[in-house]
Amino acid sequence: MAASLRFLSPIALRNRSLRNRVVFGAHTANMAEVGLPGVRHIGYYEERARGGAAMIVVEPMPVHAATVLTRGNFRPNDDSVIPAFARVTEAIKRHGALAIQQIYHVGSHGDSDLSYHPHWSPSGFPSYHDSDGSHAMSDAEIEETINGFTNAARRCHEAGFDGVEVWAAYHSLLDQFWTPWSNRREDHWGGSLENRTRLSRTILRRIRDVCGPDFIVGLSISDEQDSSVVLARQDMVDIIALHDEAGLVDYVTCGTGSYFDFYKVMPTFLYPEKLGIDLAGSIKERVKHALVIAESHIRTPENAESVITSGAADLVSIVRGQIADPHLVNKTAEGRPEDVRGCLSCNQMCWGRRSRDYWISCLVNPSAGREFEWGGDRFDKATAPGRVLVVGGGPAGLEAARVAAERGHAVTLAEASNVLGGHFRLAGLQPRRAQIIDLIDWYDRQLTKLSVDVRLNTYVEAEDVVAEAADHVIIATGSLPPETGFQKALPQWNIMPGWERGNTSSVEAVMARQMRSGKRVLLLDESGGWRGCGTAWKLAEDGHDVTLITPDPMVGRELQRMAADAPLRKVLAGLGVRFVLESSIVEWHGDGATVMSHLDSSRIRIGADTLVTATTNVAADALAQALLAIEIPFHGIGDGVAPRQAPYAIFEGRRVGLAL
């Protein structure tokens, strides 16, 4: 069956043969150290090549000092990157994948905090990345930029890359020259289509001249049809056709979004899947030479196959899907797609960490970025296999049990409820978050394959742990809502005034259907994330009148870094959810609340039938405390130690499983 999948079939690219149609596309891993790729980078890319990707596009290298955009960017204009990159290309190519480097100039959308350089652009328009303006480039500066691209490509060639991908997506510098709104020049770099494409055509020709006929040259573009100032799709098609007819590009990567709507650049689960195929299909109808790669929310083998069989693209770029499971391709080729660990499209540890200028990782795969330390979800057998008891079937316990069993231990997993997943399962019941349920089901399948003894409806006490006589005990008992209404914003009250009047509930109880909410719901959200916002969405979707109160200046503060906050607020607003910002509850009346503004201390009364709270949980550590009292050694992990988000629970599960 796997052999008949179209996306697993080979394809020729220039004078090379790709073993399948899957690309691990360019993205900012942000792993460089002093501007050079090191062991973290090498392990990260090598694992995806080992896992079966046909082509690895290494993260963008800035071609000029004006375009340094992250702390982890590579050095621009510096040949010292060549030997460091040679180690990256060797690692990728030893596993049969092609190695490509993306090279970029962001134009006006720079970051002065990192570059300490004026932003350069065609006509001096403002940055949509920071609050600065830009400098309209002179002829000499345009020539300097062309040389920057050419020399970057030369360095890539000398480092052993098979080619480069020139970045023209998201309204970057080349796209800014293409777009009439941002290119108001009246010289030979602006005006007509030929003039506006002169820069990109010159760069591509010079790269070919310098790097030779066998070097692959790709172009990355994107589509943003919800903004009136960007290129219309047909205009973009005409531009790419012009480059294709001149034989300047070997492939075109088609994504979505731009600096005008950055949320579509890394679309979360709020967006449909396979977003990039509309632009890809339009490009493919026009080009005669270049291959077309579709990217953007193509995250699964099923997505890949449907894109290729539809004829919309020749290849697919699966980035987050291969961050989540580096062996996605090989597992599918081996006829076991059910073993592929799916991406949640959450952006929490990939874009979420990158947006804070850390190196990226993954919620479901904490080995991402740690391959050089942990391997890429490949486990060495334990030197002394033993019996392991894991108490708690949430994400921490599931990962600990899986890893310990992979390493040859005999594992028992005891879970107090009748299903696996803990509070993580409740998150999966929020709208459009069923991928979480899929992940829990994946764990269930893996534990079955690994012969883990899973005991549901099993509440474990200290004497049960003693009786089990396991060699290793792991306590992953999770957390509980405090049921006090305590607000961090009003720490003088341990219990919310009026809490005893009832009609209150935690978001967990609402999602578990342990309490029926009245028609009018006040939802107090101090978390700023999916616990509160996703529950508000669910309640509103179910027909409740929801008012969301937060001490933050915006709803979904924690979701900003995941590029999910604005799309979510639009959904909530469309469902009629009312927002009360920079406010907290000073008293609950049983049928409403007195709400105080943190700006001017003014108070209003809001009527409600039910108060639902998303405040900080407390560790469910009774078993851990009991074991400490009788001096039974154990490993505590996840929310049972301190309530946090799912990535840290899975990380600790992986870490303890590796340590046994």
Side-chain angles (χ1 to χ4, degrees):
M1 177 65 178
S4 64
L5 292 173
R6 289 279 306 279
F7 84 93
L8 294 176
S9 62
I11 190 170
L13 175 59
R14 201 159 184 87
N15 61 346
R16 313 297 175 88
S17 177
L18 297 176
R19 58 191 175 188
N20 56 59
R21 310 295 183 93
V22 179
V23 178
F24 188 52
H27 56 287
T28 303
N30 214 29
M31 295 175 183
E33 299 173 10
V34 294
L36 299 174
V39 292
R40 192 182 304 277
H41 253 127
I42 292 169
Y44 179 74
Y45 289 115
E46 182 175 12
E47 196 62 34
R48 277 75 199 170
R50 180 187 279 114
M55 188 166 84
I56 308 288
V57 187
V58 173
E59 73 174 81
M61 175 164 60
V63 302
H64 191 273
T67 193
V68 172
L69 198 57
T70 75
R71 174 206 53 77
N73 262 164
F74 301 126
R75 297 176 184 177
N77 305 322
D78 190 337
D79 282 3
S80 66
V81 301
I82 296 171
F85 276 129
R87 291 187 284 275
V88 176
T89 59
E90 288 165 6
I92 292 171
K93 293 161 82 169
R94 78 167 59 105
H95 297 286
L98 265 62
I100 306 291
Q101 170 85 66
Q102 190 179 82
I103 55 179
Y104 84 105
H105 196 304
V106 74
S108 63
H109 307 306
D111 190 327
S112 296
D113 284 336
L114 287 156
S115 70
Y116 275 79
H117 192 291
H119 311 336
W120 284 5
S121 70
S123 301
F125 275 64
S127 169
Y128 277 69
H129 186 278
D130 65 17
S131 59
D132 297 329
S134 65
H135 164 71
M137 299 165 73
S138 67
D139 273 356
E141 288 162 343
I142 290 174
E143 183 64 27
E144 184 179 333
T145 298
I146 294 169
N147 289 334
F149 274 100
T150 307
N151 282 317
R154 172 187 58 79
R155 294 183 191 99
C156 293
H157 184 245
E158 293 178 13
F161 282 102
D162 298 293
V164 292
E165 180 175 286
V166 176
W167 193 54
Y170 311 153
H171 198 245
S172 60
L173 181 69
L174 300 188
D175 195 0
Q176 287 164 37
F177 271 87
W178 292 347
T179 304
W181 175 82
S182 50
N183 185 348
R184 310 288 179 87
R185 301 179 73 99
E186 297 179 355
D187 57 7
H188 62 295
W189 301 106
S192 68
L193 178 61
E194 181 176 354
N195 284 351
R196 287 184 284 116
T197 60
R198 188 182 306 278
L199 176 60
S200 55
R201 289 184 289 113
T202 303
I203 288 168
L204 294 170
R205 284 197 184 97
R206 290 201 191 170
I207 289 174
R208 175 68 65 215
D209 291 343
V210 168
C211 297
D214 295 332
F215 199 62
I216 296 168
V217 180
L219 192 63
S220 174
I221 63 173
S222 64
D223 201 17
E224 176 48 273
Q225 296 305 292
D226 292 331
S227 174
S228 61
V229 302
V230 303
L231 290 168
R233 182 172 297 157
Q234 188 56 52
D235 292 333
M236 180 66 78
V237 171
D238 292 341
I239 287 170
I240 299 307
L242 181 67
H243 290 76
D244 181 65
E245 289 165 6
L248 296 173
V249 290
D250 299 309
Y251 73 84
V252 181
T253 298
C254 302
T256 58
S258 72
Y259 277 96
F260 298 107
D261 185 355
F262 211 66
Y263 296 95
K264 294 193 191 76
V265 172
M266 293 82 47
T268 64
F269 59 83
L270 288 150
Y271 290 92
E273 296 188 345
K274 300 179 289 186
L275 285 184
I277 63 172
D278 291 338
L279 176 60
S282 299
I283 296 292
K284 188 164 169 53
E285 289 178 357
R286 282 288 299 277
V287 296
K288 299 176 181 176
H289 308 290
L291 297 183
V292 176
I293 303 175
E295 68 175 6
S296 187
H297 220 185
I298 300 171
R299 61 180 189 89
T300 67
E302 293 79 10
N303 288 163
E305 183 65 9
S306 67
V307 171
I308 299 301
T309 56
S310 74
D314 301 295
L315 301 101
V316 293
S317 173
I318 303 177
V319 176
R320 288 174 296 179
Q322 291 185 94
I323 297 174
D325 194 330
H327 299 270
L328 177 151
V329 176
N330 283 348
K331 287 179 180 179
T332 306
E334 292 163 5
R336 49 191 189 98
E338 73 281 357
D339 287 340
V340 173
R341 179 179 47 228
C343 165
L344 302 183
S345 301
C346 66
N347 284 356
Q348 193 162 341
M349 300 300 283
C350 51
W351 175 246
R353 276 178 61 86
R354 153 65 187 91
S355 68
R356 300 174 74 187
D357 218 12
Y358 303 141
W359 51 267
I360 70 169
S361 189
C362 179
L363 186 154
V364 305
N365 177 23
S367 284
R370 299 180 177 89
E371 290 84 0
F372 73 104
E373 297 174 307
W374 286 3
D377 211 22
R378 294 172 291 107
F379 304 106
D380 295 329
K381 294 300 181 182
T383 54
R387 296 176 60 243
V388 177
L389 172 65
V390 180
V391 182
L398 289 171
E399 181 68 3
R402 180 183 77 92
V403 174
E406 288 274 13
R407 300 190 61 233
H409 295 285
V411 180
T412 297
L413 172 64
E415 164 56 38
S417 75
N418 63 346
V419 290
L420 296 173
H423 289 164
F424 202 39
R425 176 177 286 276
L426 300 180
L429 300 178
Q430 293 177 345
R432 295 189 63 83
R433 303 193 74 192
Q435 293 166 5
I436 293 174
I437 305 297
D438 293 341
L439 176 64
I440 295 169
D441 291 344
W442 176 86
Y443 271 113
D444 199 2
R445 291 193 300 272
Q446 300 307 304
L447 298 185
T448 299
K449 287 186 176 184
L450 293 165
S451 300
V452 173
D453 179 11
V454 177
R455 303 174 185 174
L456 301 176
N457 300 303
T458 303
Y459 186 85
V460 175
E461 296 184 333
E463 55 266 31
D464 302 313
V465 174
V466 174
E468 193 70 28
D471 300 300
H472 306 281
V473 176
I474 300 171
I475 304 300
T477 44
S479 65
L480 296 169
E483 302 293 357
T484 61
F486 172 78
Q487 299 167 84
K488 291 186 296 183
L490 298 173
Q492 64 270 33
W493 293 319
N494 289 331
I495 300 175
M496 179 188 293
W499 185 260
E500 72 281 358
R501 295 181 178 120
N503 296 329
T504 62
S505 175
S506 66
V507 290
E508 288 84 0
V510 168
M511 294 309 305
R513 298 185 180 277
Q514 294 172 350
M515 177 176 178
R516 181 170 300 194
S517 301
K519 175 69 173 176
R520 300 173 303 160
V521 175
L522 284 185
L523 194 148
L524 171 65
D525 183 17
E526 283 203 328
S527 68
W530 286 112
R531 284 181 64 230
C533 294
T535 304
W537 186 354
K538 173 65 173 171
L539 287 165
E541 216 173 57
D542 287 348
H544 296 274
D545 294 331
V546 180
T547 299
L548 194 156
I549 301 169
T550 177
D552 297 325
M554 62 188 300
V555 168
R557 170 182 51 84
E558 284 291 318
L559 302 179
Q560 286 182 91
R561 65 186 193 217
M562 304 169 205
D565 60 307
L568 172 70
R569 287 193 293 271
K570 289 180 181 178
V571 169
L572 294 179
L575 290 168
V577 176
R578 294 174 294 279
F579 303 155
V580 180
L581 307 178
E582 299 184 86
S583 301
S584 295
I585 295 175
V586 293
E587 185 175 3
W588 171 244
H589 304 290
D591 61 355
T594 298
V595 178
M596 182 187 74
S597 166
H598 291 293
L599 298 178
D600 60 9
S601 298
S602 62
R603 302 185 180 203
I604 59 172
R605 194 182 195 282
I606 301 176
D609 304 306
T610 308
L611 171 62
V612 177
T613 56
T615 55
T616 305
N617 278 4
V618 294
D621 60 356
L623 177 57
Q625 295 300 324
L627 294 177
L628 284 172
I630 60 175
E631 299 184 344
I632 299 293
F634 65 92
H635 303 275
I637 60 174
D639 279 13
V641 178
R644 287 157 291 164
Q645 296 177 340
Y648 314 114
I650 295 175
F651 167 86
E652 290 181 355
R654 175 76 58 91
R655 182 174 62 183
V656 74
L658 291 171
L660 298 180

